[in-house]
Amino acid sequence: MDLHVLDSSDDACFVCANILSDYLKTTPQAKLGLATGGTPEAVYRSIIDHKVDFSQVRTFNLDEYIGLPENHPQSYRAYMEKHLFSKVSIATENTYFPIGGGYDLRIKTVGGIDIQLLGLGSNGHIAFNEPGSSFNSKTRRVKLAPQTIQDNSRFFEPGELQPVEAFTMGLATIMQAKQILLLVTGQHKAEILKRVFDGPVSEDCPASILLNHSNVKVIADKAAAEYLTACV
Ligand code: PGA
């Protein structure tokens, strides 16, 4: 894995956005894998600033909650509309979410994902592949780990019903992306990022599967990379 450490979280997001925007400028028909969560919000803000043409781009999101209406503010479709889709020239029919079946086939049919943006869960998950997920997993319905439910509770009002299940791209699906950008920011991710780097490659730490991918850039801020000084 190719590690890039930036001074701040904004800088890390800016670098990610530059990589994605530069790719889109040379590849107008790009297929992008997109992530939600707190980490990538600034990536999308910066991509919008680049004024890239999205008219021929197709996007494949990593996951979607089960049990929320599509227009619920915490659905990942609503997140993407708010942070990116409503602000660029993308057609809704070119934006895909893993709801129902056939997602992996759809990705394959368009030639695969060129660049996959990933965040890292505090328990080592990527997308909603929680610890114990099979490395052979495809897109499927999953139960969220208690840690994930707790981490994401900050996005829901107190007392509001929070989903405990989701559809997620599988680990084998993610590994088929041609290039992966793992964006990790904040001191609270330092320990798990070190665990990913140190290995072993194990289903107990789903993100460790990325050690087996030949084209991964890890873009981290100093806080998240705190325990990786030996590698920098
Ligand atoms: P976060 O989530 O960006 O909200 O920390 C990351 C993840 O769970 O993948």
Side-chain angles (χ1 to χ4, degrees):
M1 295 199 291
D2 183 16
L3 175 65
H4 300 253
V5 180
L6 285 300
D7 279 343
S8 69
S9 145
D10 276 353
D11 289 346
C13 291
F14 188 71
V15 165
C16 255
N18 277 353
I19 294 171
L20 290 164
S21 302
D22 285 351
Y23 188 78
L24 291 177
K25 283 175 193 158
T26 57
T27 319
Q29 298 188 340
K31 272 73 77 176
L32 296 185
L34 298 181
T36 50
T39 316
E41 286 182 17
V43 175
Y44 298 131
R45 274 201 297 278
S46 181
I47 289 178
I48 292 161
D49 289 345
H50 279 85
K51 303 203 182 310
V52 182
D53 177 16
F54 270 79
S55 60
Q56 299 177 73
V57 175
R58 285 167 201 252
T59 62
F60 292 86
N61 265 81
L62 284 170
D63 37 27
E64 181 57 285
Y65 285 126
I66 291 173
L68 292 183
E70 211 176 71
N71 61 354
H72 187 285
Q74 293 312 328
S75 80
Y76 287 159
R77 160 78 64 190
Y79 172 105
M80 290 308 306
E81 284 296 335
K82 176 175 173 194
H83 294 288
L84 183 69
F85 296 162
S86 64
K87 296 174 177 153
V88 295
S89 54
I90 197 160
T92 303
E93 63 266 27
N94 289 341
T95 62
Y96 302 96
F97 287 77
I99 302 161
Y103 204 56
D104 291 18
L105 182 60
R106 188 180 290 279
I107 292 171
K108 202 171 162 197
T109 308
V110 300
I113 288 173
D114 299 314
I115 308 186
Q116 175 67 60
L117 178 62
L118 287 181
L120 176 65
S122 65
N123 64 354
H125 77 201
I126 46 176
F128 279 138
N129 295 284
E130 304 289 17
S133 298
S134 166
F135 281 168
N136 296 320
S137 54
K138 304 283 187 170
T139 300
R140 68 204 186 286
R141 182 176 180 143
V142 293
K143 288 194 186 338
L144 306 183
Q147 181 67 53
T148 298
I149 295 169
Q150 178 170 337
D151 288 349
N152 288 353
S153 64
R154 70 192 196 277
F155 296 115
F156 292 84
E157 300 296 331
E160 192 180 5
L161 191 67
Q162 187 184 345
V164 294
E165 286 188 273
F167 288 108
T168 184
M169 246 191 231
L171 291 169
T173 317
I174 292 170
M175 286 295 278
Q176 279 165 8
K178 289 160 202 151
Q179 181 177 0
I180 292 176
L181 302 180
L182 178 67
L183 174 64
V184 191
T185 61
Q187 210 282 331
H188 62 299
K189 299 281 177 74
E191 225 167 89
I192 191 66
L193 185 58
K194 177 168 169 51
R195 200 171 149 207
V196 172
F197 262 87
D198 285 354
V201 176
S202 156
E203 289 173 354
D204 293 340
C205 180
S208 66
I209 195 175
L210 299 174
L211 290 166
N212 290 342
H213 192 289
S214 59
N215 192 354
V216 179
K217 279 189 175 46
V218 179
I219 301 169
D221 64 1
K222 268 191 191 157
E226 182 182 350
Y227 303 135
L228 301 182
T229 26
C231 312
V232 181

